[in-house]
Amino acid sequence: MDSGNDEDLKQLLRVLAQGQEQTSQLEAHLDQPSTAQVCKSLAQQIESTFQTAISMMAEGLQHQQQQQLAHTDSPPSAGDSPCSDSSDRVFKDHERMEMYKKRKSMPRWSKQVRVCSGGGAIKEPLVDGYTWRKYGQKDILGSKHQRSYYRCTHQNTKGCLATKQVQRSDEDLSIFDITY
DNA sequence: GTGATTTGACCGCG
DNA sequence: CGCGGTCAAATCAC
């Protein structure tokens, strides 16, 4: 039973192209005096996109190794290494990938943001470029509190098809799981 | 009066 | 069948 490796590869290519597009957007934002928060958000999105791509590649490689070599017990620890050396990045502007054909699934980047625990009901000032409108709220099993579902307001303006999930922990942890 | 929340229902997927 | 994500009607805030 062969899984859709081609689908995975296409997905990976989409993710990489997404990262390239995001990088271009970040570059454009760096030119004009945009908000630093927006740039940071974009950078985080790019980081998450790359993380997604890396995870997918790792999974694919692992799968291949499992198929080829049944031995070699390799622990798939996907731990994040904070050490990010500024290696020489040779970003070549290759031809623009046209991926307007069909979108099957978009990469979801999620950033965990901790709201300052000041005991204040602060309406998150982290406006990551867009405004959100809440459309749902549900209790999640295994979690103490609820999860809120947000969506972009005026999605016809910019094509913001994002859904933002806010999961709140007991006191301190306010994890904003932004899923695009 | 308009638009954003709220809250329960509904429905798809595992 | 349960969980989780979305919808939609009622309500609230400006």
Side-chain angles (χ1 to χ4, degrees):
Chain A
M1 13 175 162
D2 52 280
S3 302
N5 281 340
D6 288 341
E7 285 301 317
D8 289 342
L9 191 60
K10 287 180 182 178
Q11 171 89 11
L12 175 61
L13 285 175
R14 272 192 287 269
V15 173
L16 286 174
Q18 175 92 20
Q20 186 186 23
E21 179 64 26
Q22 286 171 345
T23 309
S24 299
Q25 286 185 13
L26 177 59
E27 192 177 4
H29 271 282
L30 283 175
D31 274 340
Q32 46 190 316
S34 300
T35 321
Q37 296 174 356
V38 176
C39 293
K40 190 174 181 181
S41 176
L42 275 171
Q44 286 177 345
Q45 289 175 15
I46 294 168
E47 184 182 354
S48 296
T49 303
F50 270 83
Q51 185 178 345
T52 303
I54 289 171
S55 298
M56 290 175 63
M57 283 195 283
E59 278 190 39
L61 192 62
Q62 187 182 353
H63 198 255
Q64 275 188 353
Q65 283 182 352
Q66 280 184 356
Q67 277 190 346
Q68 289 179 358
L69 304 174
H71 291 285
T72 312
D73 170 78
S74 56
S77 59
D80 55 306
S81 49
C83 50
S84 59
D85 292 334
S86 57
S87 308
D88 53 289
R89 340 186 141 175
V90 187
F91 276 104
K92 281 189 177 181
D93 267 315
H94 278 288
E95 303 168 5
R96 296 287 162 79
M97 295 188 69
E98 308 176 41
M99 50 176 186
Y100 294 100
K101 295 196 172 179
K102 51 182 176 182
R103 55 190 184 276
K104 209 165 189 186
S105 63
M106 297 185 68
R108 47 226 283 186
W109 52 85
S110 59
K111 61 174 182 178
Q112 282 86 26
V113 181
R114 291 192 187 184
V115 177
C116 54
S117 59
I122 310 174
K123 187 87 174 183
E124 175 207 10
L126 306 170
V127 183
D128 43 0
Y130 302 100
T131 52
W132 302 91
R133 151 189 159 267
K134 182 188 277 187
Y135 71 92
Q137 186 171 343
K138 255 309 224 0
D139 288 338
I140 304 299
L141 268 73
S143 188
K144 193 177 180 185
H145 290 280
Q146 297 174 321
R147 177 181 295 175
S148 304
Y149 299 92
Y150 292 87
R151 226 176 160 178
C152 220
T153 55
H154 315 136
Q155 63 184 83
N156 60 48
T157 318
K158 256 287 188 175
C160 181
L161 298 167
T163 56
K164 180 186 192 180
Q165 301 175 252
V166 178
Q167 189 167 0
R168 192 168 179 171
S169 201
D170 191 11
E171 287 182 359
D172 260 358
L173 292 182
S174 291
I175 299 182
F176 290 80
D177 205 358
I178 305 178
T179 309
Y180 281 78

